[in-house]
C-alpha cells in the first residue's frame, strides 16, 4: 500500500515526558494509546527472554506452541484450521450500498476434536444461514456494534485431516471503516464500488477466516484458491484477483463477473472493483540471459475520464519496471495469472495480489505496488507487527527502480532516492516494528513503517554487499514463497545467508527507535616512516537513543590516493587507526550514504581518551615461514609511547606446555617491543598476546584484532580502550628442515649448527620434529637428510 492512502500518522518518539508502560510475564499486553510507546528492555536478560518480552508487548503468543494453541481469547486458534478456498458469490447494489450473497469456505482441521469455527463479518451484516458439509447449523450470534468475530458450532467434532465446507449466506448495508475497507461512491456520475481490506477489515464485505480486528492476526494461513462471482448492474465491469473466467448476462439488468486465482493468497489481499471501466490488455515477455522467456498478460482498467494516451503510457511503464526488478527479485511470482491494474476510489494504491488498485499514474506508486507482488503478496508479513517487511521493501523498491531504470545514474540515483525517503527527525524515535497493532495509523506510519523500514533494508544491503543481499532476498522467497515471514525469521535468514551476527542490528534498527548523528575528526601521524591516520566517530544523537553499532565507511583522502575503511562504532565515541599511503588531507564518513543518520559534521580530533593500538607485528598475523627462515624474535609496534614490560606479553606454542621464554626489550624511538627467544622457533603454531598495556597517558591498549590470522586486521582495535591483542602465526617444517643455514644443501655447516643445538637440548634451533626439543628424534631426521645432501 502506498502512503498517500492515509493521513500522516501520529508519530511515536522516545522523548522526555513520554508515558511509561510496564510489563510483567503472565499478563496480557494491554492496548496502548497512540501517545505511548512501550519498548521492550534490550540490555537485560538472554536473547530468548528479550524475544519473549517483545512478543508479549506486541500482543502475540510467546512462541509457536503448535496447532490449537491460542493465547488471545475463547475461540479456536488461528492455527487450528487451514483454509483451502474461498468461493464468494455476491451481488452489489450501488444505490443502497448493499451486499448480498454467500461465501463457501473449504478448510481442513489441523487439530482433533474441532467443534467450532470463528469467522469475521462485521455486525452490520445479517447471516441468514450456515451449512457445514451440507448440514444446516445454528446461526452464530451477531456481534456487538463495530465488532466482527462470530463463532459457529460445527455439526460434529472434526479431527485433524478432515475437510469442512462451510457456506455462509449474508446480506447488509456496507460500512466503510479503516483505510476505506469497502467504498460505495461515484466517479464522473457513475457508481464505483471497491474494497481495500488491509490490514484486518476483509470482514467489512465478506465472511472470512481472519485475525481479529485491531490484533496482530496471523497471515500464514493463505487460501489456495479464490473464486469471486460478482453481480453488478449491467453498465458496470467487475474486476478481481487472478484470471478472468467470463461474464454472464443475467437478463434482469445485471451481469455476473467471474474471477479465479489459484496462487496462495492472504485474506486481506482479496479484492474487487466495479464501475464502467475502459479495459485493454497487452502481452509482456521477459527474456532473461541464458534462460527461457517468460510471457504473461497485463490487464488495465481505467475510468473513462482518465483513459488518455498519457495515462496509458504511464501505467504501461510497468513493463520497464518488470525489466528492472526481475534480475534482482526473480521472476514475477504469479505468471500464470498475469498482472493487472485498476482504478479505485482510494488515494494512492493497494497491492491486491495480481490486481493492483490505484488512483494515481505516478511511477513511484506504480513501482511501489509492483514491488509488493514479491514482498507482501507472494511472501507476506506474518503478523501486523511485521508490516515493515511489506512496506519497507516496497518503499525500497522505489529506490531500486531509481537505481536500475534505463538512463539511471545508478548508485548516485539510489543515494538520492534514499535521502529523499529519510524519515522526519521528529519521528525517527519510533520503531519500524509495530508494537501496537490496534492503531491503524501506527501500522501504516509513513515515517517508520515505510521510510525508516526502507532504510533498514538499504542498510542491510550496505552491510552485506550487493551479491549477498540479493541472495538474501532470494532465500526469503525460496523459503517463504506462498507463505508469511516474521521479523525473527527475516533476521535468521539474513544471518544464515550473510554469515553475520545481526542481533545488534535488529535490536537497534527494528525493535528500538532512534538514529545516529555523527561527528568525526582525524589526525595523521608517522611511525617508522609509515603513514597512519587515527580518526574518531562521535554520536551526538538524542541522549535517549542507544549507540548505533552499524558498520560504517570512512573515506580518507591523501595525495597518494584514497583509502576506505569500514569500522563498527561500539561507543558514543570510538577511535580507529588505519594505515594510509600519505598524510590524510580530508575524511568523509559514509560517503555512499549506506547508514541512516541525521548529520555528518567534522571537528578537531579528540586526543583525550584516544587509545593506543598495535600498528604492526613481526611475524605478521597468519605468517607461516618454514623452519629454515624461522624467526628468533618477535616485535610489536604501537601507535603511542607505552608503559609496557615483559609482563604484558605472552608467547604460546601449540600443544600446551609452558609459555615460550623470551627476553624483553623496548625502543621508545620506534615504539617497538622486542621479544628475543633463546633460538629460532621450531615448527609449530604460535600465539602472542599483549594485555594490560597502557599508553603513557594511562589509556588502555585497544588490542582486539578482527581476525588473529590475518595481517589485514592490523592496526588493532575495535574503537574502545581495553582489550587483549591476540594474533597467531606458524613455523612450518618446509621441504628441507635440516638445512639449518638455508643454503639449499644439508652439509657440514648444518651439522655444526645441529650439534650446537643438540648439546643444548632445550633449544628449538635443531628441533626438526617440532616437539620443542632438539633430541635423538631430531638426530635421526638430521642424519637421514645429511646422507641425502641435497634438498629437494
Amino acid at each position: 500500500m502506498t502512503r498517500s492512502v492515509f493521513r500522516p500518522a501520529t508519530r511515536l518518539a522516545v522523548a522526555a515526558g513520554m508515558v511509561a508502560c510496564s510489563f510483567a510475564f503472565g499478563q496480557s499486553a494491554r492496548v496502548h494509546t497512540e501517545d505511548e510507546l512501550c519498548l521492550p528492555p534490550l540490555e537485560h536478560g538472554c536473547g530468548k527472554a528479550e524475544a519473549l518480552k517483545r512478543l508479549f508487548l506486541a500482543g502475540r503468543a510467546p512462541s509457536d506452541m503448535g496447532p490449537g494453541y491460542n493465547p488471545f481469547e475463547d475461540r479456536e486458534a488461528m492455527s487450528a484450521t487451514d483454509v483451502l478456498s474461498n468461493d464468494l458469490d455476491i451481488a452489489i447494489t450501488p444505490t443502497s450500498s448493499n451486499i448480498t450473497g454467500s461465501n463457501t469456505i473449504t478448510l481442513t482441521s489441523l487439530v482433533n476434536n474441532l467443534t467450532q469455527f470463528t469467522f469475521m463479518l462485521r455486525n452490520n451484516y445479517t447471516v441468514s444461514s450456515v451449512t457445514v458439509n451440507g448440514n444446516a447449523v445454528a446461526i452464530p450470534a451477531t456481534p456487538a456494534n463495530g465488532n466482527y468475530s462470530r463463532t459457529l458450532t460445527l455439526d460434529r467434532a472434526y479431527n485433524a485431516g478432515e475437510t469442512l465446507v462451510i457456506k455462509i449466506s449474508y446480506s447488509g448495508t456496507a460500512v466503510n471503516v479503516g483505510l476505506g475497507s469497502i467504498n460505495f461512491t461515484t466517479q464522473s456520475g457513475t457508481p464505483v464500488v471497491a474494497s481495500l481490506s488491509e490490514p484486518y477489515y476483509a470482514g467489512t464485505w465478506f465472511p472470512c477466516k481472519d485475525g481479529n480486528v485491531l490484533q496482530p492476526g496471523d497471515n500464514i494461513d493463505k487460501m489456495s484458491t479464490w473464486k469471486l462471482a460478482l453481480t453488478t448492474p449491467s453498465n458496470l465491469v467487475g474486476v478481481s484477483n487472478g484470471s478472468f473466467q467470463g461474464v454472464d448476462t443475467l437478463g434482469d439488468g445485471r451481469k455476473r463477473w467471474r474471477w479465479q486465482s489459484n496462487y496462495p493468497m492472504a485474506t486481506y489481499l482479496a479484492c474487487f472493483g466495479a464501475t464502467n471501466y475502459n479495459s485493454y490488455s497487452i502481452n509482456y515477455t521477459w527474456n532473461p540471459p541464458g534462460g527461457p522467456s517468460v510471457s504473461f498478460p497485463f490487464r488495465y482498467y481505467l475510468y473513462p475520464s482518465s483513459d488518455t494516451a498519457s495515462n496509458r503510457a504511464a501505467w504501461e511503464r510497468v513493463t520497464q519496471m518488470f525489466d528492472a526488478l526481475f534480475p534482482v527479485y526473480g521472476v514475477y511470482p504469479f505468471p500464470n495469472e498475469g498482472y493487472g491494474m485498476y482504478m479505485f476510489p482510494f488515494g494512492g494504491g493497494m497491492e491486491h495480489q495480481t490486481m493492483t488498485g490505484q488512483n494515481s499514474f505516478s511511477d513511484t506508486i506504480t513501482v511501489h505496488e509492483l514491488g509488493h507482488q514479491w514482498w507482501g503478496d507472494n511472501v507476506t508479513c506474518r503478523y501486523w507487527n511485521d508490516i515493515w517487511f511489506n512496506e519497507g521493501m516496497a518503499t525500497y523498491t522505489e529506490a531500486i527502480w531509481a537505481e536500475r531504470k534505463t538512463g539511471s545514474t545508478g548508485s548516485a540515483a539510489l543515494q538520492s532516492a534514499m535521502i529523499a525517503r529519510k524519515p522526519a527527525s521528529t519521528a525517527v524515535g519510533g520503531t519500524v516494528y509495530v508494537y501496537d497493532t490496534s492503531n491503524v495509523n501506527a501500522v501504516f506510519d509513513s515515517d517508520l513503517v515505510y521510510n525508516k523500514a526502507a532504510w533498514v533494508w538499504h542498510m542491510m544491503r550496505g552491510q552485506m554487499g550487493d551479491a549477498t543481499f540479493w541472495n538474501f532476498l532470494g532465500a526469503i522467497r525460496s523459503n517463504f514463497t506462498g507463505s508469511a515471514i516474521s521479523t525473527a525469521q527475516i533476521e535468521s535468514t539474513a544471518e544464515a545467508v550473510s554469515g553475520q551476527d545481526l542481533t545488534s542490528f535488529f535490536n537497534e534498527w527494528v525493535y528500538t527507535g532512534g538514529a545516529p548523528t555523527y561527528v568525526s575528526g582525524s589526525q595523521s601521524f608517522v611511525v617508522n616512516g609509515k603513514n597512519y591516520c587515527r580518526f574518531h566517530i562521535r554520536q551526538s544523537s538524542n541522549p535517549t537513543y542507544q549507540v548505533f553499532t552499524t558498520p560504517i565507511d570512512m573515506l580518507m583522502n591523501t595525495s597518494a590516493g584514497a583509502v576506505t575503511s569500514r569500522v563498527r562504532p561500539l561507543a558514543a565515541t570510538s577511535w580507529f587507526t588505519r594505515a594510509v599511503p600519505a598524510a590524510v588531507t580530508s575524511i568523509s564518513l559514509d560517503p555512499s550514504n549506506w547508514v541512516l543518520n541525521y548529520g555528518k559534521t567534522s571537528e578537531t580530533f579528540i586526543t583525550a581518551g584516544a587509545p593506543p593500538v598495535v600498528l604492526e607485528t613481526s611475524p605478521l598475523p597468519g605468517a607461516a615461514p618454514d623452519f629454515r627462515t624461522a624467526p628468533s624474535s618477535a616485535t610489536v609496534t604501537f601507535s603511542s609511547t607505552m608503559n609496557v614490560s615483559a609482563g604484558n606479553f605472552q608467547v604460546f606454542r601449540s600443544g600446551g606446555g609452558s609459555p615460550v621464554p623470551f627476553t624483553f626489550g623496548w625502543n621508545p624511538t620506534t615504539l617497538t617491543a622486542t621479544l628475543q627467544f633463546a633460538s629460532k622457533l621450531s615448527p609449530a603454531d604460535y600465539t602472542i598476546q599483549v594485555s594490560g598495556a597502557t599508553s603513557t597517558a594511562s589509556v588502555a591498549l585497544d588490542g582486539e584484532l578482527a581476525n588473529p590470522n590475518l595481517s589485514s586486521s592490523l592496526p588493532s582495535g575495535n574503537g574502545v580502550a581495553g582489550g587483549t591483542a591476540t594474533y597467531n602465526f606458524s613455523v612450518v617444517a618446509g621441504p628441507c628442515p635440516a638445512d639449518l643455514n638455508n643454503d639449499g644443501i644439508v652439509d657440514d655447516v648444518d651439522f655444526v649448527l645441529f650439534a650446537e643445538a643438540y648439546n643444548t637440548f632445550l633449544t628449538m634451533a635443531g628441533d626438526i620434529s617440532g616437539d620443542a626439543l632438539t633430541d635423538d628424534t631430531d638426530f635421526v631426521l638430521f642424519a637421514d637428510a645429511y646422507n641425502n645432501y641435497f634438498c629437494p
Side-chain angles (χ1 to χ4, degrees):
M1 182 186 297
T2 45
R3 290 156 290 187
S4 55
V5 169
F6 51 89
R7 295 192 298 272
T10 300
R11 310 304 181 196
L12 298 179
V14 178
M18 177 165 287
V19 179
C21 47
S22 61
F23 170 82
F25 281 104
Q27 297 179 0
S28 298
R30 68 180 177 86
V31 175
H32 301 289
T33 70
E34 65 184 20
D35 295 322
E36 295 179 296
L37 177 63
C38 186
L39 296 179
L42 293 172
E43 299 179 0
H44 305 285
C46 68
K48 290 183 178 179
E50 298 303 330
L52 291 178
K53 294 175 187 177
R54 288 197 188 99
L55 294 178
F56 272 111
L57 287 171
R60 285 169 36 207
S63 62
D64 183 3
M65 303 298 290
Y69 179 71
N70 176 30
F72 297 121
E73 58 185 284
D74 188 19
R75 52 159 285 188
E76 85 287 354
M78 291 284 286
S79 59
T81 57
D82 175 24
V83 172
L84 304 178
S85 67
N86 282 279
D87 189 345
L88 189 60
D89 186 349
I90 60 173
I92 58 172
T93 307
T95 56
S96 61
S97 300
N98 185 266
I99 299 177
T100 300
S102 65
N103 185 24
T104 302
I105 306 172
T106 302
L107 54 86
T108 300
S109 175
L110 300 179
V111 296
N112 290 328
N113 198 37
L114 180 72
T115 60
Q116 64 182 36
F117 174 71
T118 300
F119 62 94
M120 298 295 128
L121 184 64
R122 199 174 186 278
N123 70 286
N124 49 289
Y125 292 101
T126 299
V127 174
S128 56
S129 68
V130 180
T131 63
V132 179
N133 290 339
N135 300 314
V137 297
I139 297 172
T142 301
N145 185 42
N147 290 335
Y148 296 70
S149 181
R150 309 184 191 217
T151 299
L152 63 88
T153 300
L154 303 176
D155 58 325
R156 63 175 177 84
Y158 287 81
N159 289 326
E162 291 192 83
T163 298
L164 298 83
V165 179
I166 301 173
K167 182 176 182 179
I168 304 166
S169 299
Y170 70 106
S171 63
T173 301
V175 175
N176 189 346
V177 299
L179 303 177
S181 73
I182 179 70
N183 198 353
F184 284 75
T185 185
T186 61
Q187 52 85 20
S188 299
T190 299
V192 55
V193 185
S195 66
L196 196 164
S197 302
E198 194 178 20
Y200 28 56
Y201 292 116
T204 61
W205 63 281
F206 75 102
C208 56
K209 177 185 174 181
D210 202 2
N212 290 64
V213 172
L214 308 181
Q215 290 191 3
D218 189 345
N219 291 314
I220 200 168
D221 186 8
K222 296 186 174 184
M223 66 188 91
S224 300
T225 301
W226 164 259
K227 293 181 180 180
L228 174 64
L230 176 65
T231 298
T232 71
S234 59
N235 64 319
L236 304 187
V237 175
V239 301
S240 185
N241 313 82
S243 300
F244 179 54
Q245 303 295 301
V247 56
D248 306 316
T249 301
L250 302 182
D252 59 358
R254 300 186 302 166
K255 291 182 177 179
R256 181 169 55 229
W257 305 86
R258 292 178 283 107
W259 290 80
Q260 181 171 332
S261 177
N262 295 315
Y263 287 102
M265 183 168 67
T267 302
Y268 77 94
L269 293 171
C271 73
F272 80 89
T275 192
N276 60 335
Y277 290 116
N278 286 352
S279 64
Y280 70 101
S281 65
I282 61 175
N283 197 61
Y284 171 77
T285 300
W286 183 56
N287 296 299
S293 61
V294 179
S295 296
F296 48 84
F298 284 3
R299 295 180 293 270
Y300 300 99
Y301 297 84
L302 296 94
Y303 298 158
S305 61
S306 299
D307 188 8
T308 65
S310 62
N311 286 343
R312 286 194 176 203
W315 273 13
E316 288 173 21
R317 278 196 293 275
V318 74
T319 60
Q320 300 171 37
M321 297 170 186
F322 269 94
D323 290 340
L325 298 180
F326 272 18
V328 290
Y329 284 2
V331 177
Y332 175 61
F334 316 111
N336 294 339
E337 295 172 4
Y339 184 62
M341 300 172 67
Y342 71 102
M343 295 191 71
F344 68 175
F346 309 100
M350 174 61 205
E351 66 278 9
H352 296 128
Q353 187 166 302
T354 73
M355 183 63 75
T356 285
Q358 283 186 210
N359 197 13
S360 168
F361 298 91
S362 159
D363 279 6
T364 299
I365 291 177
T366 297
V367 78
H368 180 105
E369 306 307 339
L370 177 60
H372 270 308
Q373 298 299 313
W374 284 268
W375 321 115
D377 293 7
N378 179 42
V379 182
T380 307
C381 62
R382 176 71 186 267
Y383 308 102
W384 293 116
N385 315 99
D386 310 310
I387 184 64
W388 71 272
F389 166 76
N390 294 25
E391 300 302 346
M393 267 307 298
T395 303
Y396 195 44
T397 300
E398 301 169 19
I400 292 172
W401 165 242
E403 174 192 18
R404 298 182 58 83
K405 67 183 178 181
T406 302
S408 170
T409 56
S411 60
L414 174 67
Q415 292 180 43
S416 178
M418 290 310 299
I419 290 172
R421 286 158 179 78
K422 186 179 290 188
S425 59
T426 55
V428 75
T431 65
V432 302
Y433 186 83
V434 179
Y435 288 96
D436 180 9
T437 61
S438 67
N439 182 351
V440 177
N441 279 340
V443 173
F444 296 105
D445 187 291
S446 67
D447 276 311
L448 301 174
V449 174
Y450 288 73
N451 287 339
K452 189 175 181 182
W455 272 94
V456 170
W457 293 101
H458 183 64
M459 288 187 288
M460 280 196 282
R461 178 181 173 185
Q463 187 164 332
M464 294 180 185
D466 275 10
T468 301
F469 180 73
W470 303 130
N471 289 339
F472 162 48
L473 294 186
I476 288 177
R477 185 170 174 187
S478 296
N479 296 336
F480 298 94
T481 189
S483 187
I485 189 170
S486 69
T487 298
Q489 289 168 325
I490 296 170
E491 179 180 351
S492 62
T493 303
E495 291 180 333
V497 174
S498 69
Q500 301 177 19
D501 182 350
L502 297 173
T503 302
S504 295
F505 180 91
F506 273 76
N507 283 343
E508 293 164 12
W509 291 108
V510 177
Y511 293 118
T512 59
T517 299
Y518 293 115
V519 186
S520 59
S522 67
Q523 182 184 74
S524 296
F525 66 103
V526 178
V527 173
N528 299 333
K530 298 180 180 180
N531 288 281
Y532 296 91
C533 175
R534 54 169 67 100
F535 58 88
H536 73 265
I537 300 173
R538 182 167 63 85
Q539 298 187 31
S540 62
S541 314
N542 185 317
T544 63
Y545 297 167
Q546 73 273 310
V547 171
F548 290 86
T549 63
T550 306
I552 191 167
D553 293 333
M554 176 62 83
L555 173 68
M556 294 161 280
N557 293 304
T558 79
S559 60
V563 175
T564 298
S565 178
R566 178 162 289 185
V567 298
R568 184 179 184 184
L570 295 178
T573 300
S574 298
W575 289 267
F576 303 93
T577 300
R578 294 295 182 264
V580 290
V584 170
T585 56
S586 64
I587 60 173
S588 177
L589 184 64
D590 192 27
S592 297
N593 294 303
W594 283 113
V595 180
L596 176 62
N597 67 84
Y598 287 84
K600 295 180 291 185
T601 57
S602 61
E603 65 184 1
T604 301
F605 179 74
I606 300 174
T607 57
V613 300
V614 175
L615 294 179
E616 57 183 355
T617 66
S618 179
L620 288 168
D626 70 30
F627 185 41
R628 292 178 295 180
T629 59
S632 58
S633 65
T635 61
V636 180
T637 300
F638 297 89
S639 62
S640 305
T641 303
M642 302 293 290
N643 293 319
V644 288
S645 65
N648 298 120
F649 298 83
Q650 284 188 299
V651 182
F652 299 97
R653 175 187 169 95
S654 61
S658 301
V660 178
F662 59 84
T663 301
F664 176 77
W666 169 251
N667 187 329
T669 301
T670 62
L671 306 181
T672 300
T674 299
L675 315 181
Q676 185 67 52
F677 306 118
S679 68
K680 69 177 181 179
L681 301 177
S682 63
D685 295 326
Y686 294 88
T687 296
I688 294 182
Q689 290 185 346
V690 187
S691 60
T694 63
S695 68
T696 53
S698 299
V699 181
L701 173 71
D702 183 7
E704 291 90 347
L705 275 70
N707 187 323
N709 299 308
L710 291 178
S711 61
S712 59
S713 295
L714 292 173
S716 70
N718 64 2
V720 181
T724 298
T726 301
Y727 64 96
N728 307 317
F729 65 92
S730 301
V731 174
V732 297
C736 193
D739 178 20
L740 299 182
N741 70 339
N742 194 31
D743 64 357
I745 57 177
V746 181
D747 57 9
D748 292 342
V749 176
D750 300 299
F751 181 83
V752 170
L753 294 174
F754 181 81
E756 292 175 350
Y758 183 77
N759 290 333
T760 307
F761 181 64
L762 292 176
T763 182
M764 291 186 277
D767 179 23
I768 301 173
S769 65
D771 63 358
L773 302 172
T774 302
D775 54 12
D776 291 345
T777 301
D778 301 298
F779 183 86
V780 172
L781 295 173
F782 181 85
D784 288 342
Y786 183 79
N787 291 332
N788 291 328
Y789 187 69
F790 287 106
C791 290

